[in-house]
Amino acid sequence: MIYRLKRKSDFDKLFSKGKKGFSKSLTMLYFPSNDFKIGYSVSKKHGNAVKRNKIKRLLRASARVAFSDLKKNYRIVILPKIRDDYSFDTFVADLNYLKKKENL
């Protein structure tokens, strides 16, 4: 089960002390933790609220697929890069790439 990262203090800790991983369409910040929590940060540069919410829905669905088999617990923030189009398959491929690259 995936729990959401909600508090500003948790986001601030990850932005200041978290390790970073980069792929073509995503940036991932992560930090080892006692429990698994994940958050998404989509800025206003990505478009209006409808577009930002669509991106977050795609990220949540792709994270469910990609992080279903993690062995350790982490706190993770996912930041999408600005693109013309966003797809579920691209996000799943990039999350799997980051998971393998960062040894999660």
Side-chain angles (χ1 to χ4, degrees), residues 36-76:
F36 184 78
K37 289 193 176 187
I38 188 164
Y40 310 94
S41 180
V42 182
S43 71
K44 289 188 176 183
K45 294 177 184 177
H46 287 86
N48 61 10
V50 174
K51 191 169 184 180
R52 291 194 310 268
N53 287 332
K54 181 179 180 183
I55 294 168
K56 285 188 268 188
R57 282 194 308 271
L58 287 170
L59 286 171
R60 275 188 226 113
S62 59
R64 262 185 243 117
V65 172
F67 294 133
S68 63
D69 60 344
L70 279 181
K71 305 288 189 274
K72 295 182 182 177
N73 290 325
Y74 292 94
R75 298 217 172 179
I76 298 173

Side-chain angles (χ1 to χ4, degrees), residues 1-46:
M1 176 152 216
I2 295 179
Y3 297 101
R4 289 179 48 197
L5 199 60
K6 294 181 182 178
R7 288 190 291 187
K8 184 181 182 325
S9 60
D10 292 335
F11 277 93
D12 290 342
K13 183 177 179 182
L14 277 163
F15 279 109
S16 64
K17 297 180 182 178
K19 297 178 184 176
K20 295 179 183 176
F22 302 97
S23 70
K24 290 182 181 178
S25 66
L26 297 173
T27 300
M28 182 174 73
L29 306 169
Y30 64 97
F31 196 81
S33 177
N34 295 332
D35 53 352
F36 184 78
K37 289 193 176 187
I38 188 164
Y40 310 94
S41 180
V42 182
S43 71
K44 289 188 176 183
K45 294 177 184 177
H46 287 86

Side-chain angles (χ1 to χ4, degrees), residues 61-99:
S62 59
R64 262 185 243 117
V65 172
F67 294 133
S68 63
D69 60 344
L70 279 181
K71 305 288 189 274
K72 295 182 182 177
N73 290 325
Y74 292 94
R75 298 217 172 179
I76 298 173
V77 173
I78 298 176
L79 305 140
K81 295 181 181 175
I82 298 173
R83 300 272 183 218
D84 291 334
D85 58 333
Y86 302 92
S87 73
F88 174 78
D89 296 330
T90 305
F91 285 153
V92 170
D94 283 346
L95 286 173
N96 283 327
Y97 167 77
L98 286 168
K99 189 170 66 169

